[in-house]
């Protein structure tokens, strides 16, 4: 699915007069566009992925309807984070060695890369009207905040008692910095740092975890919290230290993005189906909800605070918002990761974090699938070696289930609404998000094996009928069809995307295995990567990209195939076998590989080609089973002869 950015001008003289004007846009060559920041005069900064999966930065001048694409020298991945009225852009980029550096692009297009002295992973997060940049850097294994002046001088700071790290997220024109810090228990708290260096820490009312994301020129801080009720709420902290939280009445999660100088709060919320929409809570208490044009989902990345104390050229009646449709924002995934990190091993903010878990009483816990809300499904074996299903929610709670207690339960897939499908004995099952379950099978089928489910509830998989295995599509209304690839003696679908496109493999009459894609209209296209002797897709995403593994010259190699048929293959250096699992929304490929000693390890290959190998700490082997659009992975690992489950943030 193409992800399209948009800009909104929302007049806020009163709630009744709020009529958004929407301006969709994409940089040339973009297959997915991610705006991250907007200035008072409607400069929009962000990044996009091209057809080859490479991530570039962009700056859009909404007044002139122009978009400029840019990358710092040596960048394999460019991520702008902030833009000011002068058109200066700050952010970070990743080089060919996988190292992260800060950058500042001036209004004329000149780009300066910078690193904080003796630090690694320098990342700029915010810039004010004077060109002062705030961000974070890793020093001695922990994150520190930094402030960089226009002359290049840098001050590094740490919140007292921040044993887990300090991360700056915003800076206003007077020079006050906002952000969050991590205590020794891995809990997150907010802070503001005045221009004279005075640091004040705070937590929003009733907050278990506090993550600020913006500070405006009046010193008002906006962000999100995980409350003591374990739900996510937006919060606003006034300059005098008073604060309040807010929820969209019909929302299940509410995230704060920014507050303008008139006291209007902007953000996004999730509805009962897990889809996100934008909102404005007006200073008088009225509420405006909005979506991008034709969008199934709308996220709000940033809000400019055009008001009385800002020297802008636009009327004070209007506030600019930027966001995108059909995608989860980097902001939200980052916040959820930080809020979710309370149960993780201590790590510097921004570093990948691992959450290990087991079902109570399980002899072995095996995750199989993960959704955007970080719900994990899979199966576990009890002490007598019977498999049962489970779902682990984002708050760490685990529910076990069996559609038919007398049969083995093997969940295979979960959609973003939380619906799960899989195998119960020789039948398929569907478990709705509310826990309602029922089993199904196709007529005359000896065995029904569901493998994938999309957001509408359509299910695909395999059925065994008259000694042959066929593919099937079960529609949300319960009707279905059986199908086969041309010349197939066995058809095995594995994944279905939001449009109903299905990917899988089939075996021909000569016992050769090939990949296929079945379009929503029923057209089936067979494919193989070059020199493949066996092709095994595992996933098709909403952009039509297929990921999987193939065999060439006797070894396993990962691949991803674009919707136009272009195929890219990949092998981890010095591995015996490399297996592809999925792509995230930045075009990074995730999977696992086997080293020369037959040990399993996870890997991520970034869009620029950089490869990072990873393992659960203190494990004897790590296998990745699934990845969501935000780069969160799940799988299992070995430790002391036992197998356990894990969740890893990006």
């Amino acid at each position: 699915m193409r992800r399209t950015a948009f800009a909104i001008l929302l007049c806020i003289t009163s709630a009744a007069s709020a009529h958004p004007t929407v301006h969709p846009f994409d940089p040339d060559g973009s297959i997915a566009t991610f705006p991250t920041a907007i200035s008072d005069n409607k400069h929009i900064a962000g990044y996009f992925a091209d057809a080859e999966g490479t991530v570039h930065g962009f700056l859009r001048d909404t007044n002139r309807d122009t978009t400029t694409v840019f990358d710092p020298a040596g960048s394999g991945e460019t991520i702008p984070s902030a833009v000011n009225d002068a058109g200066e852009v700050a952010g970070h980029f990743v080089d060919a060695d996988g190292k992260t550096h800060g950058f500042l692009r001036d209004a004329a297009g000149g780009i300066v890369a910078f690193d904080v002295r003796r630090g690694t992973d320098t990342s700029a997060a915010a810039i004010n009207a004077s060109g002062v940049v705030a961000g974070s850097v890793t020093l001695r294994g922990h994150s520190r905040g930094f402030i960089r002046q226009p002359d290049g001088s840098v001050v590094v700071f740490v919140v007292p008692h921040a044993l887990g790290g300090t991360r700056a997220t915003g800076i206003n024109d007077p020079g006050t910095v906002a952000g969050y810090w991590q205590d020794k228990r891995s809990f997150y708290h907010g802070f503001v740092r005045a221009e004279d260096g005075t640091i004040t820490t705070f937590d929003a009312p009733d907050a278990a975890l506090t993550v600020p994301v913006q500070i405006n020129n009046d010193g008002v801080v906006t962000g999100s919290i995980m409350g003591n009720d374990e739900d996510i709420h937006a919060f606003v902290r006034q300059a005098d230290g008073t604060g309040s939280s807010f929820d969209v009445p019909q929302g299940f999660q509410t995230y704060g993005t920014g507050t303008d100088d008139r006291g209007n709060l902007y953000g996004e919320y999730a509805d009962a189906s897990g889809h996100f929409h934008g909102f404005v809570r007006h200073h008088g208490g009225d509420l405006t909800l909005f979506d991008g044009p034709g969008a199934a989902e709308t996220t709000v990345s940033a809000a400019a605070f055009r008001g009385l104390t800002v020297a802008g050229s636009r009327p004070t009646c209007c506030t600019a918002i930027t966001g995108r449709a059909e995608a989860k924002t980097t902001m939200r995934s980052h916040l959820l990761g930080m809020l979710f990190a309370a149960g993780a091993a201590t790590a510097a903010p921004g570093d990948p974090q691992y959450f290990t878990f087991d079902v109570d009483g399980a002899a072995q816990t095996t995750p199989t699938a993960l959704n955007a809300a970080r719900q994990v499904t899979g199966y576990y074996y009890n002490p007598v070696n019977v498999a049962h299903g489970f779902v682990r929610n984002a708050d760490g709670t685990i529910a076990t289930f069996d559609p038919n207690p007398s049969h083995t339960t093997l969940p295979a897939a979960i959609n973003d609404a939380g619906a799960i499908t899989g195998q119960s004995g020789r039948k398929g099952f569907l478990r709705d998000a509310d826990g309602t379950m029922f089993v199904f099978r196709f007529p005359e089928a000896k065995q029904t094996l569901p493998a994938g489910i999309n957001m509408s509830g359509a299910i695909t998989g395999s059925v065994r009928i008259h000694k042959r295995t066929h593919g099937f599509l079960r529609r949300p209304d319960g009707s279905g069809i059986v199908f086969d690839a041309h010349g197939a003696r066995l058809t095995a679908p594995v994944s279905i995307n939001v449009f109903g496109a299905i990917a899988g493999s089939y075996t021909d009459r000569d016992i050769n295995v090939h990949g296929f894609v079945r379009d929503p209209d029923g057209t089936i296209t067979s494919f193989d990567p070059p020199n493949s002797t066996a092709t095994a897709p595992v996933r098709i995403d909403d952009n039509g990209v297929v990921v999987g593994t193939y065999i060439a010259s006797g070894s396993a190699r990962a691949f991803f195939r674009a919707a136009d048929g272009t195929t890219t293959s990949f092998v981890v250096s010095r591995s015996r076998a490399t297996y592809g699992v999925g792509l995230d929304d930045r075009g990074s490929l995730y999977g696992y590989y086997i080293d020369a000693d037959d040990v399993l390890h996870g890997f991520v290959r970034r869009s620029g080609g950089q490869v990072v190998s990873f393992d659960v700490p203190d494990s004897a082997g790590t296998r990745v089973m699934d990845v969501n659009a935000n780069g969160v992975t799940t799988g299992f690992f070995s430790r002391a002869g036992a197998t356990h489950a894990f969740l890893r943030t990006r």
Side-chain angles (χ1 to χ4, degrees), residues 110 143 156 369 398 402 416 471 483 635:
S143 184
V156 176
I398 296 176
D402 288 290
D416 285 351
F483 64 88

Side-chain angles (χ1 to χ4, degrees), residues 565-588:
T566 305
T567 300
T568 302
S569 62
F570 168 70
V571 177
V572 174
S573 179
R574 294 185 292 277
S575 69
R576 295 183 61 249
T578 302
Y579 299 86
V581 169
L583 294 174
D584 68 12
D585 57 11
R586 296 182 183 178
S588 297

Side-chain angles (χ1 to χ4, degrees), residues 39-41 84-86 129 173 217 261 305-316:
S39 69
D40 288 334
N41 61 0
N84 63 16
D85 281 354
D173 289 349
N217 285 343
D261 286 350
F305 41 90
R306 187 180 292 134
L308 297 178
T309 61
V310 175
S313 61
R314 300 298 167 212
T316 59

Side-chain angles (χ1 to χ4, degrees), residues 564-616:
D564 65 3
T566 305
T567 300
T568 302
S569 62
F570 168 70
V571 177
V572 174
S573 179
R574 294 185 292 277
S575 69
R576 295 183 61 249
T578 302
Y579 299 86
V581 169
L583 294 174
D584 68 12
D585 57 11
R586 296 182 183 178
S588 297
L589 172 68
Y590 293 77
Y592 64 95
Y593 68 95
I594 303 174
D595 68 17
D597 297 319
D598 289 331
V599 178
L600 296 173
H601 310 273
F603 76 82
V604 52
R605 177 188 182 269
R606 293 175 175 149
S607 59
Q610 307 89 353
V611 179
V612 177
S613 174
F614 63 85
D615 286 286
V616 176

Side-chain angles (χ1 to χ4, degrees), residues 317-330:
C317 69
C318 296
T319 292
I321 306 169
T322 188
R324 70 178 190 269
E326 304 290 359
K328 303 290 189 288
T329 62
T330 301

